[in-house]
Amino acid sequence: MRFLFLLLITISLPVLAQESIVFGVHSNTAPLEWRNNGVDQGFNVELMNRIGQLTDKRIIVRRKSFQQLVKDVHNPNSDIDVIAVVSPVNIDRQLAQSDPIYATHAKAYTLQGKALINNWADLVGKRVAIKKGAFVEVFLSDHLQNFDRVDVDLYETGFKLLTKNQVDVVIAESFVARRLLPLYPSVRSSSDALIYGAFNFVANGTKAKQMYQINEALRQLKISGEYDQLVNKWFGTGREKVDLTSTDNRLFAFVILVAIISAVGLVYTGFISASLRRHTKALDAELIQRKRIEAEISELSKQFQSVLDGIPDGVTIVNKELQHLWSNDNNIHLLVSDEFYYIDHDVFILRMAVLDVLTSQKSLTADMVYQQQFWQLQIHPIAQEQVVILLAESTEQHRLRQANEEASRLASLGELSAGIAHEINNPTGLIVHAVSLFTAAIKDLTPAASHYQKQNPFWLIAGLPPDVAIDELQHSCGTIEEGSKRISRIVNDLKRYAMPHIADEYTQVCLNDVVQVAQRLTANQTKYHQITLKLSESSPMIKGDAQQLHQVLINLIQNACNACLAEQGAIVIETSIEDDIAILSIKDNGCGMNSATLKRITEPFFTTRRNEGGSGLGLSVCSKIIKEHHGEMQIQSSIGKGTQIRLTFALAQ
C-alpha cells in the first residue's frame, strides 16, 4: 500500500526533560499547506502545535525519502513515531490510526470553454497531468488508466502546462486547486469529485499510547469548538470561485482610479468655468477637451460594470415591488423557480422574503436547494425599500460536510457495534446453555410423567394434561433456541461489521466454488424456487477470503428468496470474465425495490423486513466485505420486475 504524506512543520524549542513526538515528512509542499513570505503555515501546522500543547509533547519533524518513511512506520524500532497520510477512502490500513481529521477530494480541471468531465470514460485519449506522490496517484495505481498520463511535481506545474495547451486535463486535490484558480483565470472546475480521500495520523502498533494521546487531544479540540474554528479559518467557504481579497483590492483600485479621474474632471470643470470668463475665444477648444475627459470617465465606468458582471455569484438589487434596479444576471432565474426551495423543503416565495427583510430591517441568510444543487441565499436591506440579493452555489461545501459527518458517524457506529456485540454475547450464551439443559431434561422426564399419569389420571402440569404440557415445553424450548440463534446471527453481523480487515490472509478463491458452496448451504430456502446456475468454464479466480465470500452470496440468495413468491420465483446465478474483471451476478424476478429503498439499501440497520425479523445488517456487512476485497457492487431493481446485483472483482494474477 502506498501513501501520500502531508507536510507537518512545527517549530519548538529543545527541552531535555520534555517528551517528544517525531513526525516523518517526505514533501516540502503538502497539499493543505502553503507559504507566506517563506514561512510555512496552514491547517496542519496549527493543529499539530495545539496537539503538542495539549499532550505536553515537543513536536519534532524529520524529513526522509518516501521509501524510508514506509519502512520506518512499519519498524517498531524506528526513530519516527507518527506520519500523516491522505489516501483514497477505499484503501484500508493495518497500522494504528487517529480519528478522521478531515475529508477531501480530487476532480478534473480544464480550460474555460472545454467540455465537462462527467466520468473517467471522458478522459480516454486525453493528456492528463497527475502529481507524483499525491493520493490521486495512489488511487490510479490500482485502477486501469485509459488516458495519456503526464507526471508533474506540483499541481501548479499541471495548471501551467494546461494554460500552455501541453496537457488537456489536470486532476487536482480540491483545497490546493481553490488556492490556484484565482491565479489562473482561464482554468475552471470541470467535474464533480472523482476521488474521495481521508486525512489521518498513522503510527506503528507499538506507538499506541502516543496515538491514544493524539486522539484525546483531537477530541478535546472538537468538543471545545477550536477544531471547527481551525477548519473555518483554513477551509471555509468563499475560496472556490473567487479570491475575494484580491477582488476587493481590484475593486478598490478601480474606485480610487474613478475618484481620481472624477477629481481631475472637477478641476478641469472649474478651470473651464474660469477660462470662459477670461477667454471667450477658447470656448470651443475647452468644450472638446471636456468631452474627451467625459468619454474617458464613461469608459472607466463601463469597465467597472464589467467587473461586477464577471462575479460568478448572483447579485441583484430590487425594490419592494420586486422591480430589478440592477443585476449581473447570474443565476437570478432561480429566485422565481418552483424548484428553488429551502433546504428543509419549505416553499420559497421571493416577495414574502423581501417584505420580511424590509419590515424587520434584518438580513436573511438561508441554505437552499435547486434540483441536485445547494445554494446559499442572502438578502440584505440597503436603501429605503430596497434590498440586495446575493446567491452563491455551495454544493461542494455541502458535500464535503456530508462526507466528513458520514466518516465520523461510521467510526462511532463501528465502536458501538463492537460494544453491543460483546454485551449481548454473554447472556445469549447462558440462554443457549439453559435451553439445551431444559430440552435434555424434558426428554428424560417424559417417560416418568407418562408413568405418573397412569397412577394419577387427574394430574395436570401448569393446568394442562401432561402430554400436552410436555409438547408445549418442547415447543417453547425450540422457540427460545431459535430466538437465541437469531440473536447470535445479529451479534455475529455486528461483530463482522466492526471487525478490522486483514488483507494478508487472502488466498486465491474460485468464484464457481463459492457459488456451489452457497447453493448447498441455502438448499432449504431455495427448494421452493427455480435456481439456474450459469458458471464460467474458465473458473474465475480472485484474491480473497472464501468464508467471507460465502457469507456475501448466501445473504444475497436469501434476499432473493424473500423477494420472490413461493413456487413462482426464478433466481439466476452467473459467473463470467470480462477483460481482467471477474463477475458474479445474481438476478431474481421478485417484487423489486423503488429508488428511495435503493439509496439506503446498504445503510446499517435499514431493512424493509423489520416485522419479519430482519436486522438491517446483511447488505451493509456484504458491502463492507466487497470493499475489503477491492470489489464493486452494482444494484439494478424495478418494482414488480425484480432485482439484479452484479459483483465485480479483479482477477488474481
Side-chain angles (χ1 to χ4, degrees), residues 32 34 42-43 102-103 174-176 178-179 227-244 376 393-394 396-398 400-401:
L32 302 184
W34 47 87
F43 173 78
Y102 209 80
S174 62
F175 290 121
V176 180
R178 281 192 274 175
R179 284 286 177 179
Y227 171 82
D228 292 333
Q229 294 175 3
L230 286 177
V231 171
N232 290 332
K233 176 179 179 180
W234 294 105
F235 309 145
T237 59
R239 299 191 176 101
E240 294 85 344
K241 303 290 186 180
V242 170
D243 186 337
L244 294 182
Q376 185 179 73
E393 185 180 358
S394 59
E396 288 192 21
Q397 302 95 300
H398 184 82
L400 283 174
R401 186 163 57 250

Side-chain angles (χ1 to χ4, degrees), residues 201-443:
F201 296 135
V202 179
N204 189 278
T206 60
K207 310 295 183 180
K209 180 178 179 181
Q210 288 184 340
M211 185 56 69
Y212 173 80
Q213 294 173 339
I214 291 174
N215 270 331
E216 287 298 311
L218 283 173
R219 290 164 186 163
Q220 185 176 344
L221 290 173
K222 291 180 180 179
I223 292 173
S224 66
E226 188 173 352
Y227 171 82
D228 292 333
Q229 294 175 3
L230 286 177
V231 171
N232 290 332
K233 176 179 179 180
W234 294 105
F235 309 145
T237 59
R239 299 191 176 101
E240 294 85 344
K241 303 290 186 180
V242 170
D243 186 337
L244 294 182
T245 302
S246 61
T247 302
D248 288 343
N249 291 337
R250 290 196 297 269
L251 294 178
F252 183 74
F254 275 115
V255 171
I256 293 297
L257 183 58
V258 171
I260 292 173
I261 293 177
S262 298
V264 172
L266 291 175
V267 172
Y268 270 107
T269 302
F271 176 78
I272 291 172
S273 298
S275 297
L276 284 174
R277 293 189 297 268
R278 297 191 303 267
H279 307 286
T280 304
K281 294 182 180 180
L283 179 62
D284 292 341
E286 291 175 353
L287 289 175
I288 293 173
Q289 184 179 16
R290 182 173 181 177
K291 290 179 179 180
R292 180 179 60 81
I293 295 173
E294 290 177 348
E296 291 177 355
I297 295 175
S298 176
E299 181 64 25
L300 288 175
S301 177
K302 290 179 180 179
Q303 293 176 357
F304 182 74
Q305 181 67 35
S306 67
V307 171
L308 293 176
D309 291 339
I311 297 176
D313 299 335
V315 182
T316 301
I317 299 176
V318 301
N319 59 16
K320 187 175 182 180
E321 288 73 30
L322 299 185
Q323 294 176 332
H324 287 205
L325 305 180
W326 181 87
S327 174
N328 63 359
D329 295 327
N330 288 339
N331 305 310
I332 301 305
H333 65 281
L334 301 183
L335 297 173
V336 294
S337 172
D338 294 336
E339 299 181 69
F340 188 69
Y341 50 85
Y342 293 104
I343 198 169
D344 58 2
H345 298 286
D346 285 348
V347 176
F348 172 75
I349 301 176
L350 179 60
R351 179 178 296 277
M352 292 180 60
V354 170
L355 290 177
D356 288 344
V357 170
L358 289 175
T359 302
S360 63
Q361 286 297 300
K362 294 182 179 179
S363 299
L364 168 68
T365 300
D367 291 325
M368 313 296 292
V369 176
Y370 177 73
Q371 294 179 352
Q372 301 297 322
Q373 297 175 325
F374 294 89
W375 298 79
Q376 185 179 73
L377 172 69
Q378 299 182 46
I379 304 179
H380 304 283
I382 45 176
Q384 289 185 350
E385 298 188 348
Q386 294 181 8
V387 298
V388 58
I389 303 174
L390 306 177
L391 190 61
E393 185 180 358
S394 59
T395 303
E396 288 192 21
Q397 302 95 300
H398 184 82
R399 290 177 177 172
L400 283 174
R401 186 163 57 250
Q402 283 185 327
N404 192 28
E405 292 173 355
E406 179 69 11
S408 298
R409 185 181 68 83
L410 289 178
S412 300
L413 180 58
E415 296 178 3
L416 176 63
S417 299
I420 292 175
H422 177 74
E423 293 300 326
I424 293 178
N425 254 341
N426 291 335
T428 302
L430 293 176
I431 292 172
V432 172
H433 179 73
V435 168
S436 177
L437 177 62
F438 293 160
T439 302
I442 292 170
K443 182 178 180 181

Side-chain angles (χ1 to χ4, degrees), residues 109-147:
Y109 294 84
T110 64
L111 293 176
Q112 296 281 358
K114 298 295 183 180
L116 296 176
I117 306 299
N118 296 310
N119 49 51
W120 290 100
D122 292 342
L123 297 178
V124 174
K126 297 184 183 296
R127 299 167 297 174
V128 182
I130 303 296
K131 180 183 173 183
K132 292 289 292 181
F135 86 106
V136 176
E137 185 185 37
V138 175
F139 175 85
L140 293 176
S141 65
D142 295 326
H143 292 76
L144 182 64
Q145 302 176 25
N146 294 321
F147 52 80

Side-chain angles (χ1 to χ4, degrees), residues 528-579:
Y528 301 108
H529 306 285
Q530 179 182 350
I531 306 298
T532 303
L533 299 184
K534 297 181 180 179
L535 303 181
S536 172
E537 295 181 357
S538 53
S539 297
M541 304 292 293
I542 67 171
K543 294 284 286 184
D545 185 306
Q547 291 184 351
Q548 292 181 1
L549 294 173
H550 292 158
Q551 180 182 355
V552 170
L553 188 54
I554 288 171
N555 190 283
L556 297 181
I557 292 175
Q558 290 175 339
N559 286 349
C561 292
N562 291 329
C564 296
L565 296 175
E567 299 180 356
Q568 296 182 9
I571 302 173
V572 179
I573 305 174
E574 182 178 0
T575 62
S576 61
I577 297 176
E578 293 182 6
D579 298 330

Side-chain angles (χ1 to χ4, degrees), residues 148-214:
D148 297 331
R149 174 171 167 174
V150 179
D151 291 332
V152 296
D153 58 341
L154 298 171
Y155 288 125
E156 186 170 9
T157 304
F159 276 49
K160 290 179 180 179
L161 295 178
L162 185 62
T163 58
K164 296 177 182 179
N165 285 318
Q166 295 180 6
V167 297
D168 303 310
V169 181
V170 178
I171 299 181
E173 195 272 336
S174 62
F175 290 121
V176 180
R178 281 192 274 175
R179 284 286 177 179
L180 294 176
L181 283 177
L183 304 177
Y184 298 89
S186 62
V187 178
R188 71 166 183 178
S189 169
S190 298
S191 76
D192 292 328
L194 297 175
I195 309 168
Y196 287 97
F199 172 57
N200 297 81
F201 296 135
V202 179
N204 189 278
T206 60
K207 310 295 183 180
K209 180 178 179 181
Q210 288 184 340
M211 185 56 69
Y212 173 80
Q213 294 173 339
I214 291 174

